[in-house]
Amino acid sequence: MRKMILSFAALALLFTSCNEDQNSINNNDQSKVDMSDFYVYTDADLDEANKVASNSKLKTCYSMVNLNRMLNEDPSLEQKMYDVEYHTRASIYSKGKPVKGGGGTDPVPDDLGVINIPVNIHVVYSNSQQNVSDNQINAQMTVLNDDFRASNNDINQVPSAFSGLVADSEINFTLANTFRYSNATSAWSTNDAVKAAYPPVSPSTHLNIWVCNISGGILGYAQFPGGPSATDGVVVLYSSLPGGSAAPYNEGRTLTHEVGHYLNLRHIWGDGRCNRDDFVTDTPSSDGANYGCPSYPTVNCRTTDMTMNYMDYVDDSCMYMFSDGQKSRMRTIFEAGGSRESMLN
């Protein structure tokens, strides 16, 4: 009898355990997290080639072309970026917010509080003009913080249709170190050679920024979350800092744009015309970048472009907002299991 009772008890325990495991699976079911629209490769290489062919003098962000190069060199990077994206969408879904449109995001609360990111600046110069001053660096840090905290002087220019979407990302940046390197190289390519020459310092806990001259009329480029730590960070054209000579791109918004990429934001047009998305629902679809200071409204893909968003290509003086959806997307990578979680430790 005792053996029979023990047998029934063991079966009951096994049954309970199986039920608990099944409940755990059901509770953690992320089947509603649609990844069918996820992409990494873009038409950025073709776009850049077309600009060269047309003798375009427009200076651009090279982050997406750089990403294509890295994907070609390291086939495993695509899976890593997929995992980062899955975590982003699953985290938002787990908070009770549907991930609409196959990956768009709604603003969601988190318990991270204000995030502070320490910054290492690497100034690499071949002449005195490229050796930007401490005053310029401090001014750049002010622009970065004003932009990410929605406290810049231009915020009141946001059209009423978008004013309710303006977001304080609650992300601060603090200058930790400034390193200066004299180097005979007059202009650096976009193949991360400057990072190889002067590797990032504490990239798991610090944002590393290289300020130098970039060849090919490029304003800057960033590495998305998921890439190798040896090249993690942002490269910007020295003359794009406040007071530089790269007008109309000399008010510091190049770095704001590139740090957006570093924090997992895509261009608002998705680098693929109307059939591509930036994975954020409150940034309307567009068929390409906007330049200059576009009049409002500018309509593409049957929607009004958010041309004043930092992730477009307009002049520095004409970009002045992140959206609520972009805020959610950026902050998710700092959560437990996120690709930049270590920055909070």
Side-chain angles (χ1 to χ4, degrees):
M1 177 64 72
R2 177 180 174 84
K3 290 183 179 180
M4 184 177 295
I5 292 174
L6 289 175
S7 297
F8 279 123
L11 285 172
L13 182 61
L14 179 60
F15 180 78
T16 300
S17 175
C18 288
N19 278 344
E20 287 177 351
D21 288 344
Q22 187 61 50
N23 288 337
S24 175
I25 292 171
N26 290 336
N27 289 338
N28 291 317
D29 180 18
Q30 302 295 341
S31 60
K32 294 184 180 180
V33 179
D34 183 4
M35 294 291 290
S36 62
D37 70 329
F38 178 69
Y39 66 94
V40 285
Y41 283 97
T42 67
D43 297 331
D45 302 75
L46 179 60
D47 290 344
E48 291 300 322
N50 289 338
K51 288 174 186 174
V52 172
S54 64
N55 296 316
S56 172
K57 295 182 180 180
L58 292 171
K59 296 184 178 181
T60 63
C61 158
Y62 220 64
S63 292
M64 301 311 295
V65 178
N66 184 59
L67 175 58
N68 285 351
R69 174 187 64 82
M70 294 180 69
L71 288 163
N72 289 333
E73 294 175 357
D74 179 10
S76 70
L77 179 58
E78 184 169 5
Q79 181 62 51
K80 293 174 184 175
M81 293 190 68
Y82 180 98
D83 294 341
V84 171
E85 185 64 24
Y86 186 88
H87 174 270
T88 297
R89 301 185 189 193
S91 177
I92 292 168
Y93 177 74
S94 70
K95 295 183 179 72
K97 293 286 184 178
V99 183
K100 298 185 291 187
T105 64
D106 283 337
V108 293
D110 59 51
D111 58 0
L112 298 176
V114 176
I115 297 168
N116 185 68
I117 299 177
V119 178
N120 291 324
I121 300 284
H122 306 260
V123 180
V124 184
Y125 62 95
S126 64
N127 56 49
S128 58
Q129 288 74 34
Q130 296 175 14
N131 189 17
V132 297
S133 68
D134 288 342
N135 286 339
Q136 281 184 282
I137 292 172
N138 290 333
Q140 177 65 83
M141 294 299 297
T142 297
V143 169
L144 198 62
N145 280 311
D146 285 347
D147 290 348
F148 276 83
R149 296 307 307 270
S151 59
N152 62 70
N153 294 327
D154 304 315
I155 206 74
N156 59 357
Q157 299 182 49
V158 176
S160 58
F162 297 135
S163 60
L165 299 175
V166 174
D168 170 4
S169 72
E170 298 183 272
I171 298 174
N172 285 335
F173 302 87
T174 303
L175 182 62
N177 300 286
T178 299
F179 305 98
R180 295 183 181 275
Y181 310 101
S182 177
N183 189 294
T185 303
S186 59
W188 297 86
S189 69
T190 55
N191 63 356
D192 285 335
V194 69
K195 301 176 184 179
Y198 307 103
V201 176
S202 304
S204 64
T205 56
H206 289 61
L207 162 59
N208 283 263
I209 298 168
W210 290 262
V211 179
C212 62
N213 192 27
I214 308 174
S215 61
I218 303 301
L219 281 170
Y221 66 98
Q223 181 170 296
F224 284 90
S229 61
T231 53
D232 201 13
V234 173
V235 181
V236 291
L237 183 68
Y238 76 96
S239 53
S240 71
L241 269 62
S245 60
Y249 310 107
N250 62 342
E251 297 181 18
R253 261 58 188 275
T254 291
L255 187 57
T256 299
H257 177 105
E258 298 304 339
V259 171
H261 286 315
Y262 173 84
L263 297 179
N264 208 27
L265 296 185
R266 303 292 182 100
H267 292 135
I268 61 167
W269 67 95
D271 292 276
R273 311 300 179 242
C274 297
N275 64 341
R276 282 288 176 89
D277 186 34
D278 63 351
F279 310 139
V280 182
T281 55
D282 61 10
T283 57
S285 299
S286 182
D287 67 345
N290 291 285
Y291 295 91
C293 282
S295 60
Y296 181 84
T298 296
V299 178
N300 287 291
C301 304
R302 300 182 180 180
T303 59
T304 300
D305 283 5
M306 191 181 282
T307 61
M308 67 294 307
N309 193 286
Y310 294 122
M311 302 313 294
D312 206 336
Y313 276 1
V314 299
D315 294 353
D316 277 17
S317 62
C318 297
M319 54 170 62
Y320 28 81
M321 70 170 287
F322 286 119
S323 73
D324 279 326
Q326 288 173 317
K327 171 183 178 178
S328 296
R329 185 171 176 82
M330 288 188 284
R331 291 178 65 83
T332 298
I333 64 173
F334 296 99
E335 295 177 348
S339 53
R340 300 206 184 280
E341 177 190 6
S342 60
M343 285 193 153
L344 300 188
N345 299 327

